[in-house]
Amino acid sequence: MERTWRWFGKKDKITLAQLKQIGVEGIVTALHDVPLGEVWTREKIHELKEYIESYGMKWSVVESLPVVETLKYGGPDRDHQIEVYKESLRNLGEEGIKCICYNFMPVLDWARTDLAHENPNGANNLYMNWGEFAYFDIYILQREGAREDWAEFSKEHKWGRDLVAEADEIKKTSTPEQDHALVENIIIKTQGFVSGNFSEGDAAPVQKFRDLLKLYDGIDKKKLQENMKYWLEAIMPICDEYDINMCVHPDDPPYPVFGLPRIIGRAEDIQWMLDAVPNKHNGLTFCAGSFSAGEHNDCVVMAKQFADRTHFVHLRSCYIFPNGNFTEASHLGGRGHLIELCRIFEKAEQEGKCNSGRRLPMRVDHGMTFTDEPGGVFDESNHGHNAGYTLLGRMFAMGQIQGVIATVDDELGIEYKQPGFYD
C-alpha cells in the first residue's frame, strides 16, 4: 500500500520536509481555504499539487472535497451544488488527482467527548463517554426527543447502563467550565477544521448546531439514502470521464446521533451503497477505527467482503470497554485487527482487486498525544495540532504499521521498499 499522511496545508505545523523523512509517499489533503460550496479552481489545485511535488511526494488523495449539507438533506439549491461539485471534480481530474474521500454524515463529523483521555502509559487519546454524550444532547443541546432516544439507545445496547439517569447525575455536579469543554470537544475542535461549520470564538455554536439539525426535520434513513444515491448518480459521469474514485468515509461512531440518521455504519449499509450505484468508481474508504467503534462490526470480515471496492484505507483501531465507552487503541491492538487487514489489503492490491488496480493509499489516523509534544493538545499557541493529528503520535503509529506491512510483504513474497534509504 502507498504510505500517505493527512496534511492540513501550508499552515499545518507539520512540514512536508518532515513527512518526506519519515517515509511518506503521498499526501492526503484539501483546499482548506476555499469556502464551503465554492468551486475548487484548477489554478488552486495545480499550485498545491506543485508545492507537494516539490518535496518529492504526490497529492494522492483529496480528503475532503466537502459534500455540503444541502446535498444531504436535499435542499432547494441541491442541483446547483451538484454542478459546483462536478466542476471541482473536473478540475481535480484535469490535474491527475483521482481519489476523493468524502463523508455523508449529516451535520456532525466524527464525535468524541474527551480529546485528551489519559492512557495507562501516560499519553493521551481520543475517548467517547456515552453518558457525557447523552448529557450534552439532553441538557446542553436540549434537543426535543433526546431523553426518549437515549432511553431506547440504553435498552438496545445491553451495556447495563441507563444513559438518561447518567445524564441526570452529571447535571447535578456539572460546572459551566465542564459544559464549555464538552461543547468544544463535540462541536468545535473536532468539526471546524473539517466542515467549516464552527470556529473558536463562535458566539453561539450550540444555537448554530441546533439550526443545522433543524434542516434535517423529516429526513429519515431512507430519505438520506435516496439523497446520497441521487448525488452519486449525478457525479459518476465525471468520475468515468477522468477515472476518479469516490470513497465514502464510514460514520464515526457508527450509530445514529442527535436524532440524525447514519447510513454508512455497518456492512449492510455499505452493500446498499455499492448496489445502489454499481459503478466501479463508487467505493469505500475502509476506516478500521470507525468500524471498530461499533460492536456490531467485524473489521476482518468486512475487509474481505469489500476489498474490491475499497479505494483508500485508514488504519487505526478502537477498544470498546464493557460499558460501551470506547477509545483509540494501539495500532497493534483493539478491535481493528490491523495486522490482518494489512494482509487482506496488501494481497488485494497485488491482485489488482482494489482502487481500480492502482496502488492502494493508506494512512494511519488518530495517533496518541504525548504530553510533552510541542504543539500538542496542551499547547495554547496558535500552532497546535488538530485533535488526534499530532506528529509524534502518528509517526509512532506509522512506524508500527510500516513494520507490519514489511512483514506482510515478506510473507507474500513482495519486495518492500522504504523511500529515502539505501537498500
Side-chain angles (χ1 to χ4, degrees):
M1 289 180 280
E2 180 187 7
R3 294 178 289 280
T4 68
W5 183 283
R6 190 169 191 186
W7 177 70
F8 295 97
K10 295 179 182 179
K11 294 182 180 179
D12 196 325
K13 182 181 180 69
I14 300 167
T15 68
L16 293 180
Q18 289 173 312
L19 300 184
K20 177 71 173 176
Q21 292 173 54
I22 63 176
V24 172
E25 300 170 280
I27 296 299
V28 178
T29 193
L31 297 183
H32 294 286
D33 60 330
V34 177
L36 288 175
E38 293 189 10
V39 171
W40 285 18
T41 66
R42 186 170 178 184
E43 291 75 19
K44 277 186 170 289
I45 295 166
H46 182 78
E47 189 275 332
L48 185 58
K49 179 189 173 192
E50 276 201 331
Y51 181 77
I52 293 168
E53 290 174 350
S54 72
Y55 284 87
M57 293 174 286
K58 60 180 287 193
W59 187 351
S60 297
V61 182
V62 172
E63 186 179 353
S64 296
L65 180 57
V67 180
V68 295
E69 298 298 331
T70 190
L71 296 173
K72 299 172 189 176
Y73 66 81
D77 58 338
R78 171 171 66 172
D79 289 338
H80 168 70
Q81 283 298 324
I82 286 175
E83 293 305 314
V84 169
Y85 205 96
K86 287 162 67 175
E87 185 63 24
S88 296
L89 279 180
R90 287 190 190 94
N91 291 334
L92 287 163
E94 291 288 345
E95 290 297 322
I97 300 170
K98 299 187 176 184
C99 189
I100 315 295
C101 175
Y102 69 97
N103 78 70
F104 218 80
M105 291 179 259
V107 182
L108 191 76
D109 202 336
W110 59 279
R112 302 291 187 274
T113 55
D114 190 348
L115 308 184
H117 188 79
E118 187 170 348
N119 294 330
N121 67 358
N124 293 282
N125 263 351
L126 308 173
Y127 182 85
M128 171 63 90
N129 181 317
W130 287 111
E132 292 180 352
F133 202 71
Y135 166 76
F136 173 86
D137 194 11
I138 295 169
Y139 283 104
I140 298 177
L141 190 59
Q142 298 177 5
R143 180 177 63 85
E144 184 179 352
R147 294 183 73 87
E148 293 78 9
D149 286 350
W150 285 108
E152 185 62 30
F153 190 89
S154 299
K155 292 176 184 177
E156 179 183 351
H157 292 288
K158 312 297 184 186
W159 293 329
R161 303 172 71 176
D162 181 341
L163 293 171
V164 174
E166 287 186 33
D168 292 342
E169 285 300 310
I170 293 171
K171 176 62 177 174
K172 293 177 183 178
T173 59
S174 188
T175 66
E177 291 75 19
Q178 290 170 326
D179 286 358
H180 177 72
L182 274 180
V183 171
E184 286 206 324
N185 290 348
I186 295 173
I187 62 173
I188 296 179
K189 287 184 176 178
T190 57
Q191 307 306 315
F193 68 88
V194 175
S195 66
N197 286 329
F198 306 104
S199 62
E200 299 281 2
D202 193 316
V206 172
Q207 185 55 52
K208 192 170 184 179
F209 192 77
R210 293 189 188 112
D211 292 341
L212 285 168
L213 290 179
K214 288 177 183 176
L215 297 172
Y216 288 85
D217 286 349
I219 304 295
D220 59 9
K221 181 173 183 176
K222 182 179 179 181
K223 184 60 178 176
L224 189 62
Q225 287 178 323
E226 290 174 358
N227 291 344
M228 184 181 192
K229 183 175 186 288
Y230 182 91
W231 170 73
L232 281 171
E233 288 179 336
I235 65 171
M236 281 298 110
I238 306 300
C239 296
D240 290 339
E241 181 180 355
Y242 289 97
D243 195 22
I244 293 173
N245 287 330
M246 300 296 299
C247 39
V248 67
H249 189 288
D251 303 332
D252 185 11
Y255 301 103
V257 293
F258 301 130
L260 298 166
R262 300 275 223 173
I263 60 173
I264 306 292
R266 54 185 66 224
E268 53 264 40
D269 295 337
I270 299 163
Q271 193 61 60
W272 166 84
M273 179 200 69
L274 299 178
D275 291 343
V277 183
N279 190 305
K280 70 175 184 177
H281 294 113
N282 173 37
L284 176 67
T285 295
F286 196 99
C287 180
S290 298
F291 288 136
S292 62
E295 58 190 350
H296 49 275
N297 289 327
D298 184 321
C299 288
V300 172
V301 171
M302 293 171 74
K304 292 176 180 177
Q305 182 177 354
F306 300 117
D308 63 339
R309 294 286 285 277
T310 294
H311 301 319
F312 185 29
V313 175
H314 287 183
L315 290 182
R316 65 178 175 88
S317 181
C318 283
Y319 174 83
I320 302 178
F321 294 91
N323 66 358
N325 291 346
F326 67 87
T327 188
E328 310 288 339
S330 162
H331 283 67
L332 299 181
R335 302 184 70 251
H337 301 293
L338 302 189
I339 295 173
E340 188 59 30
L341 295 193
C342 286
R343 290 193 176 101
I344 293 167
F345 287 120
E346 281 289 273
K347 188 172 186 291
E349 180 190 75
Q350 289 300 308
E351 294 174 350
K353 292 181 178 179
C354 49
N355 197 31
S356 299
R358 301 189 286 261
R359 284 191 72 192
L360 181 63
M362 171 282 298
R363 73 171 177 87
V364 297
D365 202 0
H366 293 190
M368 291 184 292
T369 296
F370 297 100
T371 52
D372 294 329
E373 178 168 357
V377 293
F378 303 107
D379 189 333
E380 297 299 326
S381 75
N382 292 325
H383 304 290
H385 298 301
N386 292 315
Y389 288 92
T390 59
L391 173 62
L392 296 185
R394 283 190 290 165
M395 186 166 66
F396 178 78
M398 178 69 89
Q400 291 177 308
I401 294 301
Q402 287 199 44
V404 170
I405 292 174
T407 301
V408 167
D409 285 355
D410 188 67
E411 293 174 354
L412 296 174
I414 301 168
E415 184 179 9
Y416 179 87
K417 291 282 190 178
Q418 172 66 44
F421 282 83
Y422 297 107
D423 292 324

